[in-house]
Amino acid sequence: MAKITTEQKDFLARHDIPLDRLFDATGIQRQDYKRTMIALGKWVAIGVTPCAEAGHTMRTSAGHCAQCRPSNLGFLRRYDTPGEVYVVHSKSGALTKVGSAKNADERVRSLNTSHYGGVSDWKIEFCEATSAAGRIESVAQQALVKYSALGTYVNSGMNTQCREIFSCSVRVAVKTVRQAMATKA
């Protein structure tokens, strides 16, 4: 059984990670603790092999060092928090986007302002509140991967590739989101 060091406790407190989100992975292979952590909703594993960069022994469910890359924790936090899962559509680009946000209306304004996917006519076609918005978004996007489309948007003055747009109908996207909600909500 792994013991939490003072440095680790300080890190967890600084990043607002509750102790009930820890998983003791002592003696467990990464692929095994990864599956278990995801199923149990755990964010950080302790008792793992030290990272090569600094020798830290706390990792995310993806196997990344939590202490070297604390930005990964923001994704995990969003993954398991309440929010809105939405499907938006651009008629001009014949594109559909599945995403999650605290406020879908504000997110759509941002998508249009940044010309997400190279278009600025995104309109909400479906929006529903859920207790695990990021999880639903992720499951739905994985199911839609065969419809992935290419596009860019401007982020901090730089062109950035979009990863959440699809060449599929709104009907297909909404059905996929509903299926994800039924299995993961």
Side-chain angles (χ1 to χ4, degrees), residues 14-184:
R14 198 169 46 256
H15 291 281
D16 200 25
I17 300 168
L19 292 177
D20 66 352
R21 294 297 185 153
L22 290 181
F23 179 76
D24 186 354
T26 303
I28 303 172
Q29 296 291 324
R30 182 173 17 171
Q31 65 269 19
D32 295 330
Y33 77 70
K34 179 179 180 176
R35 275 193 303 270
T36 304
M37 287 177 68
I38 291 169
L40 297 174
K42 303 297 184 180
W43 295 350
V44 177
I46 58 174
V48 297
T49 57
C51 75
E53 194 171 321
H56 298 129
T57 56
M58 292 197 313
R59 295 186 182 268
T60 65
S61 59
H64 302 295
C65 177
Q67 290 169 278
C68 288
R69 306 274 185 285
S71 59
N72 290 331
L73 298 171
F75 172 77
L76 291 171
R77 193 173 285 107
R78 188 175 75 89
Y79 193 76
D80 272 340
T81 56
E84 296 176 333
V85 176
Y86 62 84
V87 173
V88 293
H89 183 73
S90 164
K91 193 172 187 177
S92 70
L95 297 169
T96 304
K97 179 185 182 321
V98 173
S100 67
K102 287 186 180 192
N103 183 314
D105 289 327
E106 286 180 19
R107 179 65 178 135
V108 171
R109 279 191 287 281
S110 172
L111 292 172
N112 286 325
T113 300
S114 67
H115 295 270
Y116 195 86
V119 298
S120 59
D121 66 333
W122 294 105
K123 290 193 176 34
I124 294 176
E125 300 291 338
F126 170 87
C127 182
E128 191 164 322
T130 179
S131 62
R135 182 181 307 261
I136 303 301
E137 171 190 19
S138 179
V139 169
Q141 288 175 353
Q142 288 173 20
L144 291 169
V145 74
K146 65 185 172 191
Y147 300 107
S148 291
L150 297 175
T152 60
Y153 68 105
V154 177
N155 181 14
S156 300
M158 297 180 63
N159 273 352
T160 306
Q161 188 168 356
C162 301
R163 303 201 184 281
E164 304 169 337
I165 56 175
F166 305 96
S167 290
C168 69
S169 69
V170 169
R171 183 185 58 76
V172 167
V174 170
K175 179 180 178 184
T176 303
V177 169
R178 288 188 190 279
Q179 289 171 337
M181 293 177 98
T183 60
K184 295 292 181 187

